[in-house]
Amino acid sequence: MSYGRAPHILIVGGGYVGMYTALRLQRKLRGGEASITVVDPNSYMTYQPFLPEAAAGNLEPRHVVVPLRKVLKSSRVISGTVQSVSHGRRVAVIQPPLGDHFELTYDVLVMCPGSVARTLPIPGLAEQGIGFKSAAEAIYLRNQVLSRLDAAASATEAAVRRRALTFLFIGGGYAGIEALAELEDMARDACSFYPDLSADEMRWVLVEATDRILPEVSPAMGLYTVKQLEHRGIEVKLKTRVESLVDGRVELDSGERFDAGTVVWTAGVKPNPVLSRTDLPLDEQGRVRATAFLQVDGAPGAWTAGDCAAVPDLTKGEGATTGPSAQHAVRQAARLADNLVAELRKRPIRPYEHSYAGSVASLGLHKGVAEVYGVRLRGWPAWLMHRTYHLSRVPTVNRKARVMADWTLALFFRREIVSLGSFADPRREFRSVATPTPAVSASAAPSGASEGSSGS
């Protein structure tokens, strides 16, 4: 397609696909060949595989995010939410954090807003649960777990203590397993600093609706992981569903009932809802229909990849699509950028084809599972492979160096166990002192308090 001028490329989403696509386009495009705009609610990309380690205190949370403006120096970055896209008109409606929404015109669209947590209409879930897809959620969970230990150590009632020390995770995919294993490992280590608290008093429960965990690896490796978790005292409940979470009272379809002070929801993801407010073709799961070349099917000038796209998997049978993994997203971003540049220069484009290499997962410090190209590793070797692989994939030399520094310091110093719970509502204390309180009458004043007393 000829634009008669330098085309404007709009990238919706600053996650894996969005950031890596923009970064590669910056390197491939000649000066003045095209302009790039990236729109995302956050001004940074989160490297999600490191979130469990950030939650456990092995990594500084700031080191698992990459500032978009710092790495995309040749692109325009807009912090805002895309409300709708009319590709027929080549217009996107954007809502910035402050002020009114505005329309942004473009020539080429890269639709990659990613995914959001897939929830179910379980009573109490919205009030009691928290997801595990962002750095903010990782920080919150770390503070939550440590604050529950503080509360339990100070509690005098057995029921209060038991509830505070019960942690429920719903969903047995990689996100749930790694978050559960890392946080349990951190909490067990922290218990050594509480003289009146035993690690055996904690109750960690994993609920999974299917008959296995970690569906990305072989059944044998999934079974091994279950046994390792159970060996640590973690309860794994397969083929079980949560029916209610009202007021923290957990009700399972097996009839079991118990109270939980912490509920973490990691039961899968779904495409970003913004896709329903576009004129792009969607499949039955709400994903953008894509060709093997990562073009939106039937929409010239539109491209897509990642969790939100139904990309044909050429390494499998007819109708198969690639899974929602960082492994595919990073590789699709590279192919998408190369194809986009090739099309602008009127050169042939190539299809995306990648055989899934395998998966690695951390189960806490020095513990892990891995299955790469059919080779299965367990324990320390798998944990080392997990760290090596993700260190190689985290973007920018800056972040690689900071992650390595965190890991090196951890060899000599134990993890911090401070809960900064005020992060959840940092203005609470200020509001309490800034809000006027009703005047106390003389008759209601405490005995011994005299008018004009200094209190010293």
Side-chain angles (χ1 to χ4, degrees):
M1 181 180 293
S2 177
Y3 300 99
R5 53 179 169 75
H8 177 208
I9 302 171
L10 172 62
I11 300 177
V12 178
Y16 290 107
V17 176
M19 193 203 75
Y20 279 107
T21 297
L23 195 60
R24 195 170 183 90
L25 285 175
Q26 286 184 167
R27 295 169 180 166
K28 295 277 186 176
L29 292 171
R30 308 185 189 100
E33 192 171 8
S35 61
I36 305 169
T37 298
V38 179
V39 182
D40 193 272
N42 300 312
S43 60
Y44 54 85
M45 185 274 270
T46 302
Y47 191 74
Q48 293 184 358
F50 277 155
L51 287 182
E53 290 210 49
N58 299 330
L59 289 176
E60 166 65 40
R62 291 176 302 164
H63 299 166
V64 304
V65 300
V66 181
L68 294 178
R69 288 183 172 84
K70 188 173 183 178
V71 298
L72 303 180
K73 296 179 181 179
S74 301
S75 303
R76 179 189 180 193
V77 177
I78 298 177
S79 295
T81 302
V82 174
Q83 294 185 320
S84 63
V85 174
S86 174
H87 187 62
R89 297 171 47 230
R90 298 296 200 274
V91 171
V93 178
I94 300 172
Q95 177 62 59
L98 299 174
D100 297 330
H101 65 267
F102 62 91
E103 291 188 347
L104 182 67
T105 59
Y106 63 86
D107 299 299
V108 179
L109 174 68
V110 179
M111 196 69 183
C112 50
S115 59
V116 298
R118 183 188 64 208
T119 59
L120 297 174
I122 298 174
L125 175 60
E127 295 77 16
Q128 303 295 326
I130 184 173
F132 196 74
K133 282 181 63 65
S134 68
E137 289 172 329
I139 295 171
Y140 174 87
L141 276 174
R142 170 178 170 77
N143 291 330
Q144 170 71 5
V145 171
L146 292 175
S147 68
R148 295 307 88 192
L149 297 183
D150 290 335
S154 306
T156 57
E157 300 177 42
V160 173
R161 186 183 180 103
R162 187 164 53 250
R163 178 187 176 114
L165 294 177
T166 300
F167 307 90
L168 172 67
F169 284 71
I170 306 171
Y174 263 98
I177 295 299
E178 289 194 313
L180 166 63
E182 289 282 2
L183 285 168
E184 189 274 342
D185 193 58
M186 177 201 70
R188 182 174 292 274
D189 180 56
C191 279
S192 62
F193 295 96
Y194 294 83
D196 300 325
L197 199 63
S198 168
D200 294 334
E201 292 183 74
M202 296 189 296
R203 184 184 183 188
W204 297 79
V205 183
L206 172 67
V207 173
E208 168 57 42
T210 65
D211 60 353
R212 58 169 297 190
I213 64 172
L214 298 180
E216 299 88 349
V217 301
S218 65
M221 291 299 286
L223 181 60
Y224 167 81
T225 304
V226 169
K227 290 181 178 179
Q228 289 301 305
L229 296 177
E230 291 179 338
H231 179 72
R232 290 160 58 174
I234 299 173
E235 301 175 34
V236 180
K237 301 181 183 296
L238 302 178
K239 294 190 288 187
T240 305
R241 296 179 182 274
V242 176
E243 294 187 334
S244 177
L245 294 167
V246 176
D247 296 329
R249 181 67 175 175
V250 182
E251 298 182 8
L252 306 180
D253 61 358
S254 62
E256 185 176 358
R257 305 286 187 270
F258 59 89
D259 292 325
T262 305
V263 177
V264 185
W265 180 269
T266 58
V269 296
K270 64 180 180 181
N272 195 302
V274 70
L275 299 179
S276 63
R277 300 190 295 274
T278 72
D279 54 358
L280 302 176
L282 308 180
D283 70 356
E284 61 280 357
Q285 298 180 37
R287 299 176 298 177
V288 179
R289 293 186 182 276
T291 68
F293 298 92
L294 303 177
Q295 296 172 307
V296 176
D297 196 7
W303 304 74
T304 188
D307 294 0
C308 71
V311 178
D313 192 339
L314 300 183
T315 66
K316 298 181 179 179
E318 183 73 21
T321 57
T322 57
S325 69
Q327 186 178 145
H328 279 304
V330 173
R331 287 173 170 81
Q332 287 173 1
R335 173 49 48 208
L336 191 159
D338 289 348
N339 281 353
L340 205 165
V341 172
E343 184 176 78
L344 291 177
R345 296 173 181 171
K346 303 186 186 308
R347 295 175 181 173
I349 61 177
R350 296 169 52 191
Y352 172 76
E353 185 174 2
H354 170 69
S355 297
Y356 196 63
S359 302
V360 291
S362 172
L363 300 179
L365 204 58
H366 304 149
K367 298 178 281 289
V369 293
E371 189 168 20
V372 181
Y373 293 117
V375 178
R376 299 173 183 174
L377 298 175
R378 304 170 178 175
W380 188 87
W383 172 80
L384 182 61
M385 177 174 282
H386 170 270
R387 283 198 162 184
T388 303
Y389 173 78
H390 286 300
L391 180 64
S392 70
R393 294 300 175 183
V394 69
T396 78
V397 174
N398 180 301
R399 283 301 177 270
K400 294 180 192 294
R402 292 177 185 274
V403 168
M404 277 298 297
D406 286 345
W407 285 343
T408 302
L409 288 173
L411 296 174
F412 303 99
F413 303 99
R414 295 185 67 176
R415 288 181 283 206
E416 295 289 347
I417 63 165
V418 177
S419 168
L420 299 177
S422 59
F423 280 179
D425 185 7
R427 296 185 63 249
R428 180 174 56 188
E429 182 177 352
F430 182 79
R431 283 198 307 266
S432 69
V433 297
T435 302
T437 55
V440 179
S441 64
S443 60
S447 58
S450 60
E451 183 178 355
S453 65
S454 65
S456 59

